[in-house]
Amino acid sequence: MKVLLKEDVDNLGYAGEVHNVAPGYGRNYLIPQGLAVLATDPVLRSARAWRERAAARRAQLRAEYEALSGRIEELRLVFEAKAGETGKLYGSVTTQDIVDRMNEALGTDLERRSIVSDPLRQVGEHQVLVRLSAEFQPRVTVEVQAEGGPADEAVAEAVAQAEAEATEAFGEPAAELEADEFEDEAFEDTAEA
C-alpha cells in the first residue's frame, strides 16, 4: 500500500515522502492517526507543498531542540531517597520522576518515553539520555543522594557543636551529667529505705 506521509514518522520517513507500507500498518495506524494519506494521483500532486511545509517545521523544531539541548546539558537534578549502607536504594528514581522534575525546572512538557534509562537504584551521579529527536539526544545529570545526606549532616554537626559547648560549660558531656544525677538520686532512695 502506497501512502504519502503528512507528518514525520520515526523509523519510516519525513513528511511529504511516499512510502510503500504493509496494508494493516497504513489502514490501522498511519491513516487513522492522521500521519499519512493514501497516495493517489491528486494527493501526489500536492506532495511538494507538504514537503516544503514539513521542511520549514523541521527547521523550526531543530532550532528549538538545539536550544533545549543546551539547557538540558546544563541541568542537574538532585533526588533524595532511602538507601542502605551499601548505597542501594530501597525504592528507585523512575523515568517519570526525572521527567516531572525536568518539566518543572525547564518549563517544558516532555513525555516519560523521551527519557532513555532504567529506573535508578543506586546512590550517586548518573548521566541520563533524553531523546528529543533522532538528531538531538542530550544527557541530563541526575544525582541520587541517600536520605540523611548533606542536610542531616548539618543537623548532626549542630548537635555535636551544642554538645561541645555543654561539655565546655559543665566540664563533662551533658549525657554523662544526666546519668550521674540519676545514679545519685537512685543511691539516696536506697539509702533511705
Side-chain angles (χ1 to χ4, degrees), residues 99-164:
V99 80
D100 287 345
R101 189 76 61 90
M102 280 180 59
N103 285 337
E104 182 181 311
L106 298 173
T108 59
D109 60 344
L110 296 173
E111 295 179 3
R112 180 182 55 83
R113 66 177 178 248
S114 63
I115 304 296
V116 182
S117 173
D118 291 330
L120 305 177
R121 292 188 167 90
Q122 189 71 29
V123 171
E125 191 172 290
H126 307 274
Q127 295 294 318
V128 177
L129 184 70
V130 180
R131 183 179 296 140
L132 299 175
S133 70
E135 186 178 350
F136 294 99
Q137 298 184 8
R139 292 186 181 274
V140 63
T141 302
V142 177
E143 182 179 343
V144 180
Q145 297 177 349
E147 281 185 356
D152 287 345
E153 287 175 12
V155 171
E157 286 179 26
V159 169
Q161 184 177 356
E163 286 179 353

Side-chain angles (χ1 to χ4, degrees), residues 10-101:
D10 289 340
N11 301 324
L12 184 59
Y14 295 110
E17 294 179 348
V18 176
H19 287 278
N20 199 8
V21 297
Y25 182 53
R27 225 181 1 259
N28 297 326
Y29 178 71
L30 293 174
I31 294 172
Q33 294 291 324
L35 300 174
V37 293
L38 198 56
T40 60
D41 287 335
V43 169
L44 290 175
R45 285 187 216 119
S46 64
R48 173 185 284 164
W50 280 355
R51 277 192 291 271
E52 290 171 0
R53 282 193 305 259
R57 190 171 54 245
R58 271 195 301 276
Q60 179 185 4
L61 276 176
R62 186 174 292 121
E64 289 174 12
Y65 285 160
E66 188 171 350
L68 184 58
S69 292
R71 292 174 56 202
I72 289 173
E73 291 281 347
E74 294 171 357
L75 187 62
R76 180 180 190 84
L77 304 175
V78 179
F79 291 91
E80 283 195 6
K82 291 184 179 181
E85 293 177 8
T86 61
K88 185 172 170 74
L89 301 182
Y90 290 123
S92 64
V93 176
T94 64
T95 55
Q96 187 64 51
D97 296 333
I98 295 169
V99 80
D100 287 345
R101 189 76 61 90

